[in-house]
Amino acid sequence: MRSKYKITNRKNEISRYIEQIKLNKFGFEGQKKIRSGKIAIVGLGGLGCTAALYIVAAGIGEITLIDFDYVILSNLSRQILHHDIDINTPKVYSAAQDLYKINPYCIINIVNDKLEKNNILEIIKRQKVIIDCSDNIKTREQINSLCFNYKIPLIVGAASRMEGCLSTFNWQVNSPCYQCISSFFNSNNDNCLQQGIMSPIVSVIGAMQSLEAIKLLTNYGVPLTSTLLIYDGFYLEFNHIKINKNSCCKICN
Ligand SMILES: [Zn+2]
């Protein structure tokens, strides 16, 4: 299922982003690139809510929200676009309502469905960046494979307990893909429902995913490629691990 919100009055749009536009060497050109950007977010849980919030607030032209899940009470402590009134509502609708309030100039597409063979390709091909905030291996691997085939930059994040991790894949020669390092994400950072999670951890990672997406859209800053960022909230430490192509990877080799 898909729907769109649109607004036609753009008179005051630029003033919203003036502090961003002031950034050295970013300017109106950078803002225009965000404005013409199309980003899909897979998963509107803790990571996805924060990533979507900043992507939309920063002025993205079009965002596509993909999730098939419904809001439940235990989501509310960390999935910041969902509220008490949204319980039992599809997450994409709940998120879209808040995002529209945050920035009515943004086109919001909704996919209230699982990513399957018959819809995933059409959605992914249209995007300039994909942000993966899903919580299962099958979805991530599916997205990674398609992003690799169509050379669409992918930002993958995960969080559980007091930890999170993040990496950006933009398909430069000899750079790894998600599949090359998926065992790390899968063994250490999946399934916050079983292992518990401290609420702000997801927002730390989600906010960094949105920043990476904006950097990729605008060619501003240095993206986190061939690197796995590990965030340890317990000690408030950030570690960077260099990652290489896996010579046995079934996707990129
Ligand atoms: Zn690979």
Side-chain angles (χ1 to χ4, degrees):
M1 183 173 184
R2 308 181 72 175
S3 66
K4 275 186 183 181
Y5 295 102
K6 268 189 183 177
I7 193 163
T8 48
N9 177 6
R10 300 191 177 281
K11 247 189 339 192
N12 299 317
E13 193 181 349
I14 289 300
S15 349
R16 298 173 78 94
Y17 313 118
I18 200 67
E19 301 301 332
Q20 218 159 242
I21 290 166
K22 280 181 197 170
L23 281 167
N24 189 25
K25 296 184 180 164
F26 189 81
F28 285 101
E29 282 313 305
Q31 194 60 46
K32 271 192 216 163
K33 286 177 188 165
I34 301 180
R35 183 71 190 80
S36 61
K38 292 186 169 104
I39 287 184
I41 298 195
V42 183
L44 272 298
L47 301 170
C49 279
T50 300
L53 190 157
Y54 279 107
I55 291 289
V56 165
I60 192 71
E62 185 175 327
I63 190 168
T64 300
L65 310 174
I66 306 164
D67 205 319
F68 62 90
D69 214 354
Y70 287 72
V71 177
I72 59 172
L73 182 62
S74 63
N75 297 152
L76 304 187
S77 64
R78 66 193 179 283
Q79 303 185 11
I80 53 172
L81 297 177
H82 311 312
H83 311 291
D84 285 277
I85 199 172
D86 302 317
I87 288 173
N88 298 326
T89 303
K91 286 187 175 178
V92 287
Y93 287 112
S94 165
Q97 280 174 11
D98 253 32
L99 293 172
Y100 183 60
K101 287 181 205 155
I102 288 163
N103 191 345
Y105 296 101
C106 174
I107 294 174
I108 302 173
N109 301 317
I110 289 168
V111 181
N112 181 26
D113 206 349
K114 289 190 175 182
L115 280 181
E116 305 282 7
K117 273 187 186 156
N118 60 358
N119 65 10
I120 187 172
L121 186 59
E122 183 222 339
I123 296 165
I124 284 185
K125 276 189 340 192
R126 298 184 63 240
Q127 310 303 326
K128 291 192 175 168
V129 176
I130 307 276
I131 304 181
D132 182 293
C133 300
S134 66
D135 62 356
N136 70 85
I137 302 161
K138 190 184 156 214
T139 305
R140 283 188 195 143
E141 291 186 349
Q142 223 179 354
I143 294 168
N144 175 65
S145 163
L146 288 169
C147 286
F148 176 77
N149 288 341
Y150 291 93
K151 300 294 175 272
I152 296 165
L154 170 67
I155 300 152
V156 179
S160 76
R161 299 173 303 228
M162 288 284 282
E163 300 143 23
C165 61
L166 173 77
S167 194
T168 295
F169 305 96
N170 67 348
W171 322 120
Q172 302 295 305
V173 181
N174 292 326
S175 70
C177 76
Y178 166 73
Q179 187 93 32
C180 293
I181 58 158
S182 65
S183 59
F184 181 87
F185 278 84
N186 300 337
S187 62
N188 289 290
N189 289 88
D190 253 6
N191 206 342
C192 61
L193 291 182
Q194 276 176 21
Q195 304 181 49
I197 184 144
M198 189 63 80
S199 296
I201 298 286
V202 287
S203 273
V204 172
I205 301 295
M208 288 194 290
Q209 286 182 284
S210 68
L211 177 61
E212 282 295 288
I214 290 168
K215 284 160 59 185
L216 289 173
L217 281 178
T218 57
N219 288 321
Y220 192 73
V222 181
L224 188 73
T225 52
S226 298
T227 305
L228 180 68
L229 177 83
I230 298 175
Y231 167 60
D232 180 343
F234 199 85
Y235 294 101
L236 210 62
E237 282 178 357
F238 290 86
N239 288 298
H240 289 76
I241 297 176
K242 213 70 201 149
I243 50 174
N244 298 314
K245 223 184 219 311
N246 179 345
S247 56
C248 303
C249 179
K250 62 182 180 188
I251 301 298
C252 69
N253 259 317

